Amino acid sequence: MNDERALAINPIVPESVQHNARIISQIRSLTASLFGVAAGILGLESYPGFLFYLLGTTVVSGLIWVVLAEGRPARYFESQWSGLWGKEVVSGLSSFVLTWTLFYGLVGQ
């Protein structure tokens, strides 16, 4: 009875929020690596490469907002800004740079 009342007062379930954050982290890691591969193959250097990453992550965040969160991210995340746009963008940057430099070197531009 107390659990039902607690859920009625605060409908956010911590286990669900953790699951959602883990899924977003996996999507970000995968797309950051794919953006790095694309930037390396395209031969992007310096600022254009980083702008490519920022543009790509913005598009992915928008798709997550529309497709996965159905336009209502507050329903699935504690904070819609940090959950969708914040911390995972910065953490994916290292994967992006790693694959970017690898494929830039492999393509030999």
Side-chain angles (χ1 to χ4, degrees):
M1 181 87 159
N2 288 336
D3 289 337
E4 291 177 17
R5 186 168 187 220
L7 285 175
I9 294 171
N10 188 10
I12 296 177
V13 180
E15 292 83 13
S16 297
V17 172
Q18 289 173 351
H19 172 74
N20 293 341
R22 190 171 48 252
I23 296 298
I24 296 298
S25 177
Q26 291 171 352
I27 290 171
R28 293 267 187 219
S29 295
L30 177 65
T31 56
S33 295
L34 292 175
F35 290 141
V37 169
I41 290 173
L42 291 173
L44 299 177
E45 296 178 347
S46 189
Y47 291 119
F50 287 110
L51 288 175
F52 181 77
Y53 174 72
L54 289 175
L55 178 67
T57 54
T58 302
V59 169
V60 168
S61 294
L63 288 172
I64 291 170
W65 180 292
V66 172
V67 176
L68 293 180
E70 301 168 346
R72 298 183 310 260
R75 208 173 149 189
Y76 300 99
F77 304 100
E78 289 182 71
S79 171
Q80 63 185 358
W81 296 110
S82 68
L84 287 177
W85 307 96
K87 36 190 163 169
E88 294 299 324
V89 172
V90 176
S91 68
L93 190 59
S94 61
S95 297
F96 169 76
V97 171
L98 179 69
T99 54
W100 179 21
T101 56
L102 173 69
F103 277 84
Y104 185 82
L106 288 175
V107 172
Q109 300 238 350

